[in-house]
Amino acid sequence: MATTNTDPTTTRTVLEPLLTFDPTLHSHTSIKSIATNSQSFIYLGTSSGSLLLLSINPDTPNDKTPSTKDPNSTLDFDVPSRNVSFIKSVSVGDSAVETVLLLDETGKVIVLSDGFLFLTDSGLVQPVRKLGFLKGVSFITKRVKSSESECSDLLGLSSLEGASTSSRILSRLGGGVRANGVKDFVQKIEGDYVFAAVVGKKLMLIELRVGKNDKEVDLMVLKEMQCIDGVKTLVWINDSIIVGTVIGYSLFSCITGQSGVIFTLPDVSCLPLLKLLWKEKKVLLLVDNVGIVVDAHGQPVGGSLVFRKGPDSVGELASYVMVVRDGKMELYHKKLGGCVQTVSFGSEGFGPCIVADEESGNGKLVAVATPTKVIFYRRVPTEEQIKDLLRKKNFKEAVSLVEELKSDGEISNEMLSFVHAQIGFLLLFDLHFEEAVNHFLQSETMQPSEVFPFIMRDPNRWSLLVPRNRYWGLHPPPAPLEDVVDDGLMAIQRAIFLKKAGVDTTVDEDFLLNPPTRADLLELAIKNMSRYLEVSREKELTLSVKEGVDTLLMYLYRALNRIDDMEKLASSGNSCIVEELETLLDESGHLRTLAFLYASKGMSSKALTIWRILAKNYSSGLWKDPAREHEFLDGNTNVISGREVAATEASKILEELSDQDLVLQHLGWIADVNPLLTVQVLTSEKRVDQLSPDEIIAAIDPKKVEILQRYLQWLIEDQDSGDTQFHTLYALSLAKSAIETFEVQSTSQEPDDGRLEETKISDPGGNSIFQSPVRERLQIFLQSSDLYDPEDVLDLIEGSELWLEKAILYRKLGQETLVLQILALKLEDSEAAEQYCAEIGRPDAYMQLLDMYLDPQNGKEPMFNAAVRLLHNHGELLDPLQVLETLSPDMPLQLASDTILRMLRARLHHHRQGQIVHNLSRALNVDAKLARLEERSRHVQINDESLCDSCHARLGTKLFAMYPDDTVVCYKCFRRLGESTSVTGHDFKRDPLIKPGWLVTR
C-alpha cells in the first residue's frame, strides 16, 4: 500500500444511494450506534436506550424477473432494487445504547448501555436480560481470527490461573424465550463465543456458552488482566488486543497478559480510532488524519492512507476504506491510497456520523447513521463501474479497476481480456489506433476475426466468422477503416465548431489543436492493424481464421506498398487464399509477390510463367532493372539484376520439380540468364524422381557446351554412371572445347620455345561454370576413366596440337612407341618420357627412348642433352655395348665422356657387388649344411631312467625325438606336438634357433 495524497477529483462511482430511513418515526431520539450483519439486518442503538431492528429485503417481484446479466460475463452483477422494513424495537434502558455487538454464530446480541451489558437474541424476540454482575463496562469487542493456526486455545486459561469454578461462573440464565406469535427468523446454532470487555482498569476475556436447547446461557471469565485507563477504542484479533487511548495505542497479549506500546499520539490530536479490516484481517490505526495499517502483532504493513480530515467513523467495502465526517463520505483505495469517490449527505457541521459495513469486508450494502436519519448505499456492480469509466473515456482508470478486481479474485481472466478488447474498440473509433491494438494484444480471448470487418467490407468470405453482439454496445458496429477515419474526422470538425461555441466535447484535445490528415490517419490505422494480424499469426487458430488473417494481412501490406513484407509473407508458409489475391496483385503490378504466392501453394507452372515474364521485361527494358539503378562509376553494381533474381527464384522451384516437361520448358531462358543456375536445376538432389538423362542431354542447347559438360560430369562423378555413351560423349565434348580453346589461344599469343602455354579462358558468351581450364579437365578425365572410346576421341583430335591428350589416348591403346615419340619429341618432356619407361618396366624401353633422342628423324636435330640426362638417371639399366653402338658419331665427346665413364664404373661396381653377394650366399649355404650335419650326427644317451620331457613317461626302448633346444620327447608326444614346436613352446618356424658357426654368429 503506497502512501499518496488524496485526489480531490472523483474517478469512480463505487457507491450509489439506495434509500433513506427516518428513525424518528419509531423513536424520537438520535442514533448513537449501528451494526449490520451478513443477512442484511441493521441494528440501531438510540440515545434514549432503544434498540431498533431493520431489514433490507429484495423486492419479491424483482426476484422473479429474469436477470439481464451479459452471457459473456463471469460475475453476477444483477442487483435487484431493495426497500427497508422496520421489524421491531425493544427498550434496553434509559441511557444511550453505546455499542451493539452481534454474535452471529450464537444468534445473540450483546448491548452496552450505561456501563452494563444486556443480552437478547438476534431477532429481538426474547426479553432483554441485564447481566448485572458486570458494572462499569466501557467497551466490548469480539475476537476475530485470521486463521486457526495463528490463534491459541483459550479454554485452559482460567484453570491455569487456579481460579475456582464458583468464581468463574458468574451467572446462569435459565428459561427459554418464546416467539409469542412472532416468527423466529434467526437460525440458532450450538456453540461458544468469546469477547473482551473493558471494566474500569481491567480487561476481561469472557466466554459466552449457549446450551443445546438455547435455553441455558453461561458467561465465564477466562482471564483478567490489568488494562490502561481511559480506553477509547478496542480491537481483538488472533491473540492480540489493541487498545487505543488519548495517549496512544498499546497491544496486549491475551495469553500472557503482557502489553507494549505501538504508537504514541501527539499532545494535540484527534481521538484514537481503530477499524478492523475484515478482508485482510488487519487493523487500521488512526493518527489524526492518517490511517496506518498494522498486522495482528502491531507491526505496520504496507503504506498509509492520508485522509482530508480526521474522520468520525471508518468503514470497509471490498478494496476501499470509507470515512465519514461533516456530512460527507469519502472512499479511499487501500492499495493506491487515493480518494476515488466523495458522497455528500449533509452540510458541514451536520454532527457526528457513524458508518456500518458488513463484517465480510466484501459486502454490497453500507449504512451511514446521522443524528436524524440512516442513509443506505449500495455498491455499484463492478460491470457498471467499468462501463461508467468507459463512457467517460477514462480508460486507464478502467484498466486499473479491472486489474484490481482480477488480483482480488472478483473477476476472471476472461473478463479482464473482455474489457481490454472493449477498450481497444473504443480507442479504435477514437482514432487512437496504436493504443487500440495494444489493448487488443492484451486480450487473450479476442479473436482475430473480430477485426476482419475493419479491413474488408461485408459480405465477404469471412463474414460468418465475425462474433456478433459480444460487447456492451459502447461503440459503433465495425466498419472499414476508411469509414472509421472519415467518421472520426467529421467528429473532430464538429468538436472544433462546438469548442468555438463554448461547448465541451469528449474529443481528444490534441486532435482539436492539431487536426490530423486523412492520409496520415489511414496509414497509421493500417500499420497498427497489420501489427495485430502479424502477432495473431503466431496463435493457434482454426484454418478458416488463418486464411482470413494471412489474406487480409496481404491486403494491408499492399495498401502500404510494403513490398518486402508482401514477398516475405507470400514466400513463407502461409494460408492466403489465392483467389482473393491474384487479381489484386496482378492489377497492382506486384507480380513478384504473386509468383511467390503461387510457388508457396504448389502452383509451380503459374509461378514459373511470371518469373519468365519478369526476366523478359527486365531484359527488354520494359521494367527498370534495379541493378542499373545502382550502377557505380566503374560499371559495377551493388545489387543483383532483376533478370538474375527472376532466374534464381525460378530455379529454386525447378530444383524440386519432378515434372520433366515443365523443367525442360523453362530450362532455356534460365540458361540464357545464368548457366550455373541451369546446372543447379539439372543436378538437384531435392526432387523425388530424377530426370531422364537422355532427354535432358537432347534438350540442352548445343551452344551451351559448358552446361552439357557439367551435367555429364555430374552423371559420371556424382551419380557414378557407368554408361560408356556418357563417358564418350563427355570426352568428345571436352576434346572439342579444348581444340576451340587452343585455336583461340593460338591467335592471341606467340609460341614460346616451340610450345604454347595454355591460358584459362572460358565461354566468352557468359559466366564460366568451371574454375579449371578445359584442357586440364580433359586430361584428368582421359587418365581417370576407362569407359570412353579412345579411338573416337583420337579421330577428333588427330589433326590438332593436343599432343599430351594424344599421348594419354595412345597409352590407353597400348601404343608405347607413339607415346614415347609424343612425350620425347613433340612435347620434349624428358621427365614424363622417363617416367613412362619406368611404368613399362623393361630395359629396352629406355634403349628405345635413347634411340629417339639420338635419331629423332624428320629433320630434327639430335637431343643430346636429353640423352645425357637419360644415361645419367638410368644408365645402369642399359647395356654399355648397346649404348656405345647407339651413340651417334656426331655427339660431342665432352657431353658423353663423363656420363659413359660413370656408367661403366657403375656397371663394374654392380658386377663386383654381384660376385660378393654370390660368394657370401655360397658361404652361408656351406655353413648351414655343416650345422645341419652336426645336428644330425649328435649322439644322445638314453638309459632306463630317462623320461619324456612332455608326458614324463620312461623312454626305455621306445622311439623318441630331440628338438634343436635339446628337449627329448617320446614318439607319441612328438606326433602330438609336431615338428616345429617343442615342449617349451618354442616355435622354430617363427623363431629359428641359430647356433654359432664359422661364418654365422648370434
Side-chain angles (χ1 to χ4, degrees):
M1 184 185 304
T3 302
T4 59
N5 295 325
T6 56
D7 186 0
T9 61
T10 298
T11 57
R12 300 181 186 176
T13 304
V14 182
L15 291 177
E16 63 180 2
L18 184 60
L19 52 91
T20 302
F21 175 72
D22 187 358
T24 58
L25 299 176
H26 306 278
S27 178
H28 301 284
T29 57
S30 60
I31 304 298
K32 298 293 290 185
S33 59
I34 183 172
T36 64
N37 64 11
S38 58
Q39 297 175 337
S40 301
F41 295 119
I42 295 91
Y43 298 84
L44 303 178
T46 66
S47 58
S48 61
S50 297
L51 181 62
L52 308 181
L53 176 59
L54 308 179
S55 174
I56 296 184
N57 297 316
D59 250 348
T60 303
N62 287 340
D63 279 345
K64 299 179 181 179
T65 303
S67 173
T68 57
K69 173 185 173 184
D70 186 89
N72 295 298
S73 174
T74 60
L75 302 176
D76 184 9
F77 292 125
D78 185 35
V79 180
S81 62
R82 298 170 179 261
N83 57 19
V84 63
S85 300
F86 175 78
I87 297 177
K88 194 173 183 179
S89 172
V90 295
S91 176
V92 178
D94 298 331
S95 300
V97 177
E98 301 171 6
T99 304
V100 179
L101 186 61
L102 305 181
L103 307 180
D104 290 337
E105 292 83 349
T106 62
K108 300 297 181 182
V109 177
I110 297 178
V111 179
L112 172 61
S113 177
D114 194 24
F116 293 95
L117 296 180
F118 298 86
L119 183 67
T120 183
D121 64 297
S122 58
L124 304 187
V125 177
Q126 298 177 357
V128 178
R129 301 284 183 169
K130 181 179 181 181
L131 304 180
F133 50 84
L134 289 177
K135 299 180 181 180
V137 180
S138 57
F139 280 94
I140 58 174
T141 186
K142 59 183 178 181
R143 188 186 195 189
V144 177
K145 298 179 180 180
S146 59
S147 65
E148 292 293 336
S149 61
E150 297 185 11
C151 299
S152 302
D153 187 7
L154 302 179
L155 295 180
L157 288 179
S158 55
S159 60
L160 291 174
E161 294 176 357
S164 63
T165 303
S166 60
S167 64
R168 294 198 308 273
I169 300 178
L170 302 179
S171 175
R172 181 181 296 272
L173 301 178
V177 180
R178 294 186 177 182
N180 294 327
V182 180
K183 183 179 179 181
D184 188 1
F185 50 84
V186 180
Q187 181 184 2
K188 308 293 179 61
I189 62 173
E190 178 185 354
D192 303 333
Y193 207 83
V194 179
F195 64 94
V198 177
V199 183
K201 293 186 179 182
K202 291 185 178 182
L203 181 59
M204 290 183 169
L205 308 183
I206 303 173
E207 180 182 7
L208 175 67
R209 293 185 175 182
V210 181
K212 294 182 179 180
N213 55 5
D214 200 20
K215 294 182 179 181
E216 295 182 357
V217 177
D218 293 339
L219 290 179
M220 176 183 292
V221 177
L222 300 177
K223 189 179 185 65
E224 291 184 12
M225 62 184 74
Q226 191 67 29
C227 190
I228 305 173
D229 191 16
V231 176
K232 301 296 183 183
T233 182
L234 186 69
V235 168
W236 186 2
I237 179 171
N238 295 342
D239 293 342
S240 302
I241 301 176
I242 301 177
V243 177
T245 67
V246 293
I247 298 175
Y249 296 97
S250 300
L251 184 141
F252 288 82
S253 172
C254 66
I255 306 300
T256 63
Q258 296 179 351
S259 64
V261 177
I262 301 177
F263 287 112
T264 300
L265 296 176
D267 296 337
V268 179
S269 65
C270 299
L271 291 176
L273 181 60
L274 293 171
K275 170 59 183 175
L276 178 64
L277 302 179
W278 291 88
K279 190 174 182 180
E280 293 85 3
K281 297 299 186 291
K282 300 291 189 297
V283 180
L284 181 68
L285 283 65
L286 202 66
V287 181
D288 279 340
N289 65 326
V290 178
I292 301 171
V293 181
V294 298
D295 59 14
H297 305 288
Q299 297 297 323
V301 289
S304 58
L305 298 173
V306 181
F307 309 125
R308 291 190 177 96
K309 295 181 181 180
D312 295 334
S313 179
V314 180
E316 180 189 16
L317 179 69
S319 301
Y320 308 97
V321 171
M322 304 170 292
V323 295
V324 293
R325 179 166 179 154
D326 295 336
K328 290 183 180 180
M329 177 170 59
E330 297 174 345
L331 273 72
Y332 291 83
H333 197 279
K334 291 180 183 177
K335 294 182 179 179
L336 303 179
C339 179
V340 298
Q341 185 180 6
T342 301
V343 180
S344 298
F345 51 84
S347 59
E348 192 170 349
F350 191 68
C353 304
I354 307 171
V355 61
D357 53 48
E358 298 180 21
E359 292 183 353
S360 64
N362 199 26
K364 297 182 179 179
L365 288 177
V366 174
V368 178
T370 69
T372 59
K373 59 183 176 180
V374 180
I375 308 169
F376 295 96
Y377 297 88
R378 73 156 187 164
R379 180 185 176 188
V380 178
T382 52
E383 180 176 312
E384 296 301 324
Q385 295 184 45
I386 299 170
K387 288 182 180 179
D388 180 64
L389 292 172
L390 296 183
R391 291 188 186 97
K392 298 176 181 177
K393 299 189 181 300
N394 197 342
F395 301 128
K396 292 183 179 179
E397 187 68 20
V399 172
S400 177
L401 173 59
V402 175
E403 291 176 348
E404 293 166 15
L405 296 172
K406 174 63 173 60
S407 63
D408 293 340
E410 295 188 28
I411 64 172
S412 65
N413 194 57
E414 288 76 10
M415 185 62 183
L416 176 61
S417 298
F418 174 85
V419 174
H420 273 299
Q422 176 69 85
I423 294 175
F425 284 113
L426 290 171
L427 287 168
L428 186 69
F429 283 97
D430 285 346
L431 306 185
H432 295 286
F433 301 108
E434 184 175 357
E435 295 88 342
V437 170
N438 291 339
H439 281 281
F440 287 159
L441 295 176
Q442 294 182 68
S443 175
E444 298 178 0
T445 59
M446 179 176 172
Q447 296 297 318
S449 56
E450 296 182 46
V451 302
F452 289 177
F454 293 97
I455 305 172
M456 181 177 286
R457 293 185 182 275
D458 287 334
N460 55 63
R461 183 188 293 264
W462 300 281
S463 296
L464 297 178
L465 298 177
V466 182
R468 304 295 180 183
N469 301 324
R470 290 190 61 242
Y471 296 98
W472 291 329
L474 302 179
H475 59 80
L481 291 174
E482 295 88 344
D483 296 348
V484 173
V485 171
D486 292 339
D487 294 342
L489 289 174
M490 290 179 62
I492 292 174
Q493 296 299 325
R494 192 183 306 112
I496 293 174
F497 176 77
L498 293 175
K499 186 177 181 181
K500 293 179 179 179
V503 180
D504 293 332
T505 64
T506 59
V507 177
D508 192 335
E509 191 69 22
D510 292 338
F511 286 161
L512 299 179
L513 296 176
N514 187 19
T517 63
R518 185 180 187 274
D520 292 341
L521 285 175
L522 198 55
E523 180 181 359
L524 185 62
I526 296 175
K527 282 183 178 179
N528 284 280
M529 198 63 70
S530 303
R531 179 165 63 94
Y532 176 72
L533 293 182
E534 288 169 352
V535 177
S536 299
R537 295 191 74 216
E538 307 300 325
K539 299 180 180 180
E540 292 292 334
L541 306 173
T542 62
L543 178 60
S544 56
V545 176
K546 283 183 179 179
E547 292 173 349
V549 169
D550 288 356
T551 305
L552 296 182
L553 184 59
M554 186 69 77
Y555 266 88
L556 297 178
Y557 285 159
R558 191 203 66 84
L560 296 175
N561 200 30
R562 291 166 57 175
I563 298 177
D564 291 341
D565 291 327
M566 293 172 63
E567 295 180 357
K568 182 179 179 181
L569 175 61
S571 59
S572 63
N574 62 80
S575 301
C576 293
I577 302 298
V578 178
E579 294 81 1
E580 294 283 342
L581 295 173
E582 55 185 347
T583 302
L584 179 73
L585 296 176
D586 189 14
E587 293 177 353
S588 62
H590 294 95
L591 295 183
R592 283 171 51 94
T593 302
L594 185 56
F596 283 126
L597 185 59
Y598 280 143
S600 67
K601 298 302 178 182
M603 306 169 71
S604 303
S605 179
K606 290 186 176 182
L608 291 169
T609 301
I610 291 179
W611 289 122
R612 186 172 188 171
I613 293 173
L614 290 175
K616 181 180 180 181
N617 289 342
Y618 283 127
S619 61
S620 62
L622 295 178
W623 283 15
K624 290 184 178 180
D625 194 328
R628 297 178 180 176
E629 295 179 1
H630 295 81
E631 286 185 351
F632 290 112
L633 295 177
D634 58 358
N636 294 327
T637 61
N638 63 343
V639 293
I640 303 176
S641 70
R643 296 177 68 241
E644 287 277 348
V645 173
T648 301
E649 296 300 333
S651 67
K652 291 179 181 178
I653 300 174
L654 294 173
E655 286 177 14
E656 299 181 0
L657 280 183
S658 298
D659 186 345
Q660 184 167 289
D661 294 337
L662 190 59
V663 173
L664 297 180
Q665 178 183 350
H666 294 274
L667 206 61
W669 70 268
I670 295 178
D672 294 338
V673 176
N674 190 337
L676 187 58
L677 295 176
T678 308
V679 173
Q680 292 177 1
V681 171
L682 296 177
T683 61
S684 173
E685 301 286 349
K686 298 178 182 179
R687 58 174 58 95
V688 178
D689 300 323
Q690 291 298 326
L691 308 177
S692 171
D694 293 331
E695 296 188 22
I696 294 298
I697 293 173
I700 295 176
D701 187 350
K703 297 180 181 178
K704 308 295 183 181
V705 177
E706 283 196 340
I707 296 177
L708 175 62
Q709 293 175 1
R710 181 65 186 89
Y711 180 65
L712 290 171
Q713 182 187 28
W714 175 75
L715 288 175
I716 295 170
E717 297 180 2
D718 296 344
Q719 301 299 307
D720 298 327
S721 174
D723 193 329
T724 57
Q725 178 184 355
F726 296 153
H727 284 253
T728 302
L729 181 60
Y730 184 44
L732 291 174
S733 179
L734 289 175
K736 184 178 180 181
S737 298
I739 294 173
E740 295 174 355
T741 302
F742 187 85
E743 292 175 353
V744 173
Q745 178 186 4
S746 299
T747 60
S748 61
Q749 65 178 22
E750 295 296 330
D752 183 12
D753 295 334
R755 299 177 60 194
L756 291 176
E757 295 294 334
E758 181 183 3
T759 59
K760 296 182 180 180
I761 64 173
S762 60
D763 180 14
N767 297 326
S768 177
I769 298 175
F770 300 98
Q771 297 297 323
S772 58
V774 63
R775 285 198 65 182
E776 179 181 336
R777 287 183 277 118
L778 174 61
Q779 294 165 8
I780 293 174
F781 178 72
L782 293 178
Q783 289 177 345
S784 61
S785 176
D786 295 326
L787 300 179
Y788 62 88
D789 188 345
E791 295 182 355
D792 290 348
V793 181
L794 269 174
D795 291 342
L796 178 63
I797 66 173
E798 187 66 37
S800 68
E801 296 295 324
L802 304 181
W803 293 109
L804 180 57
E805 290 79 358
K806 293 179 183 179
I808 296 173
L809 293 171
Y810 283 133
R811 178 185 174 189
K812 292 282 184 180
L813 297 173
Q815 304 279 344
E816 297 177 358
T817 302
L818 293 178
V819 174
L820 286 175
Q821 287 178 350
I822 293 174
L823 293 177
L825 303 180
K826 291 294 183 181
L827 300 179
E828 298 183 3
D829 190 345
S830 302
E831 182 178 356
E834 294 174 10
Q835 182 178 355
Y836 181 64
C837 291
E839 293 177 3
I840 295 175
R842 299 193 310 273
D844 63 305
Y846 292 102
M847 201 66 214
Q848 186 179 9
L849 180 60
L850 181 63
D851 290 339
M852 293 180 184
Y853 284 150
L854 297 177
D855 186 16
Q857 297 181 358
N858 295 328
K860 193 173 183 180
E861 294 293 330
M863 302 171 64
F864 295 124
N865 291 331
V868 171
R869 170 190 169 91
L870 175 64
L871 294 175
H872 177 75
N873 293 336
H874 306 284
E876 68 276 6
L877 300 177
L878 301 177
D879 186 351
L881 183 58
Q882 292 183 3
V883 172
L884 292 175
E885 292 176 353
T886 306
L887 289 178
S888 171
D890 298 332
M891 182 176 180
L893 185 61
Q894 64 273 17
L895 293 178
S897 59
D898 293 339
T899 301
I900 295 173
L901 182 60
R902 191 182 307 110
M903 183 181 68
L904 293 174
R905 288 174 179 173
R907 188 79 175 179
L908 179 61
H909 178 69
H910 181 71
H911 174 70
R912 289 177 178 175
Q913 281 184 333
Q915 289 179 334
I916 293 173
V917 171
H918 176 70
N919 293 330
L920 287 175
S921 299
R922 290 186 60 189
L924 287 173
N925 186 34
V926 171
D927 187 57
K929 288 181 178 180
L930 180 60
R932 184 180 181 85
L933 179 62
E934 290 179 352
E935 287 294 321
R936 290 183 175 277
S937 62
R938 279 201 301 163
H939 295 281
V940 179
Q941 184 176 357
I942 300 297
N943 54 32
D944 294 339
E945 302 298 328
S946 299
L947 302 177
C948 174
D949 290 335
S950 178
C951 64
H952 303 293
R954 294 182 181 276
L955 294 176
T957 59
K958 296 178 181 179
L959 290 176
F960 66 91
M962 185 176 68
Y963 288 98
D965 59 355
D966 299 334
T967 56
V968 179
V969 296
C970 63
Y971 187 73
K972 180 179 180 180
C973 293
F974 172 74
R975 294 193 62 182
R976 178 175 56 83
L977 295 172
E979 296 181 357
S980 60
T981 306
S982 68
V983 178
T984 61
H986 191 104
D987 190 345
F988 299 105
K989 288 185 177 180
R990 295 182 179 180
D991 186 15
L993 186 65
I994 301 176
K995 291 189 175 183
W998 68 271
L999 181 60
V1000 180
T1001 59
R1002 287 185 183 274

